[in-house]
């Protein structure tokens, strides 16, 4: 993990990479079982060379129909999306897709735990915001006076800053513990 | 759904396609939220042509680190793998991978619901077998006298045949209901 620490202190790590390291730590230490879903790809053409692995020669990125992460913690279903922004004062809602919001609404309806992890890169702050706190802002953006972004202070007032702890880099399960257990 | 019925009666549908149709039905009818994970792909080369979508020009299939399906039902975490065989008397264990079994063991340990769906294509029978009933056979295969396959009668005795009901094609949630709720 030392090499990771180094690259992290060099600001080379993305939020997604941090969360993947965190999930690996959680898994190894039997804390929870959370995995990132693979990037969905539409495969069009595959070559099968003799005596070597199949090569995908033509494929396209597909829109994901769900969030990026899900899994299991203390018998509960967890589901979340992670996003980062360089903005300092707000988080633009267009970073989420309609079907991701619909998916999180279905999760909440079926008694799962849904949330987003949002990093303000420039500020060096990472927040957990419950999906139920996101839905009203999402829905309201289509109103005449609706904002197209979430103000930074909304995260301060309604979200929870995630401690950046080693060796779990984005220690979101601490917040989930406070909120639900 | 009519076109599906037709192709199903033509035996053109794989177990995976049937389960995907089933999950779509479950989702639309607010029964549960289960998705298939995308096939994991290692992307090596991407072209970005002007004025059109990015094209993946070189990529390779990666081994999945988990099972194919997971999601949420009545507040509970569900996780399963689906496999089919043309064999008539037994199901070869090499159809599963070690890391899939490890993953299902982690799910059971963290109080999730893990199982496999196995179809004997030639017999036209599809079974749900709880992961806890699979583990002992998996572990025992490495013993001197250990079998490398699961006898068909083991599914009859320890599994549950899944009713093939329209419009949910592989109506596995009925079995989950009987077992856990
Ligand atoms: Mg994403
Ligand atoms: Mg599979």
């Amino acid at each position: 993990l030392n090499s990771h620490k180094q690259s992290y202190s060099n600001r080379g790590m993305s939020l997604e990479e941090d969360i993947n390291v965190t999930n690996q730590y959680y898994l190894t230490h039997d804390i929870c079982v959370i995995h990132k879903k693979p990037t969905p790809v539409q495969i069009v053409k595959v070559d099968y060379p003799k005596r070597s692995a199949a090569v995908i020669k033509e494929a396209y990125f597909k829109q994901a129909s769900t969030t990026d992460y899900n899994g299991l913690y203390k018998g509960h279903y967890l589901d979340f999306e992670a996003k980062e922004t360089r903005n300092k004062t707000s988080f633009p809602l267009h970073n989420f897709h309609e079907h991701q919001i619909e998916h999180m609404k279905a999760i909440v309806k079926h008694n799962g735990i849904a949330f987003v992890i949002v990093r303000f890169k420039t500020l060096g702050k990472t927040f957990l915001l419950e999906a139920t706190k996101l839905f009203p802002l999402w829905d309201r953006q289509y109103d005449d006076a609706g904002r197209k972004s979430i103000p930074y202070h909304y995260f301060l007032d309604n979200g929870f800053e995630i401690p950046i702890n080693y060796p779990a880099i984005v220690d979101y399960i601490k917040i989930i513990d406070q909120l639900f257990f």
Side-chain angles (χ1 to χ4, degrees), chain A:
Chain A
L1 214 57
N2 273 336
S3 66
H4 172 72
K5 269 192 203 185
Q6 208 169 357
S7 65
Y8 184 77
S9 64
N10 289 341
R11 302 271 157 213
M13 297 287 282
S14 71
L15 175 60
E16 188 174 303
E17 287 169 315
D18 283 352
I19 293 174
N20 293 344
V21 170
T22 303
N23 289 339
Q24 189 55 50
Y25 175 84
Y26 287 161
L27 185 65
T28 311
H29 291 77
D30 245 337
I31 293 163
C32 58
V33 185
I34 312 286
H35 286 275
K36 184 177 186 301
K37 292 183 192 173
T39 304
V41 155
Q42 179 72 47
I43 297 166
V44 175
K45 186 161 167 271
V46 184
D47 276 8
Y48 298 92
K50 277 177 195 157
R51 273 180 288 274
S52 63
V55 190
I56 299 162
K57 287 290 196 181
E58 185 186 349
Y60 299 89
F61 294 101
K62 282 196 298 186
Q63 186 102 308
S65 50
T66 65
T67 50
D68 277 345
Y69 295 91
N70 76 356
L72 175 64
Y73 178 55
K74 291 185 181 172
H76 289 260
Y77 176 92
L78 252 61
D79 196 299
F80 65 97
E81 181 65 32
K83 299 284 185 196
E84 43 191 345
T85 183
R86 292 186 182 281
N87 285 20
K88 290 175 197 169
T89 56
S90 70
F91 181 81
L93 282 165
H94 65 70
N95 282 288
F96 299 110
H97 306 293
E98 180 69 40
H99 55 265
Q100 291 179 325
I101 304 289
E102 291 311 314
H103 173 70
M104 288 190 281
K105 285 181 177 176
I107 295 307
V108 169
K109 192 169 178 182
H110 289 266
N111 294 316
I113 296 172
F115 55 94
V116 297
I117 294 178
V118 169
R119 174 174 289 172
F120 289 86
K121 279 159 93 163
T122 318
L123 305 175
K125 297 277 188 187
T126 304
F127 296 92
L128 185 152
L129 184 71
E130 290 172 82
T132 51
K133 298 278 169 75
L134 171 62
F135 299 152
L137 280 78
W138 178 266
D139 296 338
R140 228 175 283 153
Q141 70 177 308
Y142 303 110
D143 297 350
D144 281 348
R147 283 192 64 131
K148 308 293 183 217
S149 65
I150 311 172
Y152 182 69
H153 67 73
Y154 190 83
F155 288 94
L156 292 175
D157 296 346
N158 298 282
F160 297 85
E161 193 179 347
I162 301 177
I164 304 297
N165 285 332
Y166 297 100
I169 306 299
V170 187
D171 210 358
Y172 62 88
I173 222 73
K174 286 232 172 78
I175 309 292
I176 296 299
D177 257 335
Q178 290 168 28
L179 279 169
F180 298 101
F181 294 94

